[in-house]
Amino acid sequence: MATSLDKVIYTARAHTTGGREGSSRTDDGLLDIKLSPPKVMGGAGNATNPEQLFAAGYSACFMGALKHVAGMKKVAVPADASIDAEVDIGPIPAGFGIAARLTVSLPGMDRAVAQDLVDTAHQVCPYSNATRGNIDVTIALAD
C-alpha cells in the first residue's frame, strides 16, 4: 500500500525530451543535462544516464538522512563521511528493473554507533522508503 505524504514540503520539477537519448532540465535551470545510454547498452556513452542520476540522488538523500538521524541522536558525522552508490539495470519478467547498493563510510566512528546510524537512516530516507519492497537494496557499512 502506498504511503501518502502528510504535507508537501517541496516539489522538484523536470522536463525531459527524447528519453534515454535526450535531455532533461529542471524548472529552475540548475540541472540541464544531456542523456545517453551507456555503451554497454548500445548508446554513445557520452552523457549521463538515469541510473547514474538515481545513484547520485539516492546517495545524497541517504547522507542527508544519516546527518538528520545523527543530529537527533546527538552524534557527530565525520567531516569525511561518504557514500558510494551503485545502481544496476537488467531484465525482469515484465521488462527492466534496477537494484541498488550503498556503501557508507564513516571514518573514525565506533562501528556499532555507525551501524546504528546507517540502520536508522535507512528507515527515514525517502529513497529507502520509496524502494523498500520494490527493488533489491543493499546498504553496507564500509570496512
Side-chain angles (χ1 to χ4, degrees):
M1 177 151 89
T3 302
S4 297
L5 300 177
D6 293 335
K7 173 180 153 184
V8 174
I9 298 171
Y10 169 75
T11 300
R13 292 179 177 86
H15 179 77
T16 302
T17 59
R20 287 183 170 272
E21 295 178 7
S23 64
S24 190
R25 183 177 192 277
T26 56
D27 64 340
D28 59 9
L30 294 175
L31 179 70
D32 190 354
I33 57 170
K34 293 189 183 310
L35 300 167
S36 175
K39 287 183 179 183
V40 299
M41 290 177 64
N46 60 353
T48 195
N49 61 65
E51 292 71 37
Q52 290 172 323
L53 294 170
F54 192 89
Y58 197 170
S59 58
C61 189
F62 197 88
M63 183 64 79
L66 193 72
K67 289 180 176 183
H68 172 76
V69 167
M72 290 174 45
K73 293 178 180 264
K74 305 206 183 313
V75 175
V77 172
D80 55 349
S82 64
I83 299 176
D84 291 320
E86 298 173 286
V87 174
D88 305 320
I89 184 171
I92 60 172
F96 291 90
I98 60 171
R101 291 180 302 286
L102 302 181
T103 303
V104 181
S105 177
L106 298 167
M109 184 175 276
D110 176 81
R111 190 156 184 89
V113 172
Q115 188 65 58
D116 178 60
L117 287 180
V118 167
D119 292 344
T120 307
H122 188 40
Q123 296 305 308
V124 302
C125 174
Y127 274 68
S128 291
N129 287 329
T131 59
R132 187 172 291 109
N134 297 312
I135 67 168
D136 287 335
V137 173
T138 303
I139 300 181
L141 190 57
D143 292 329

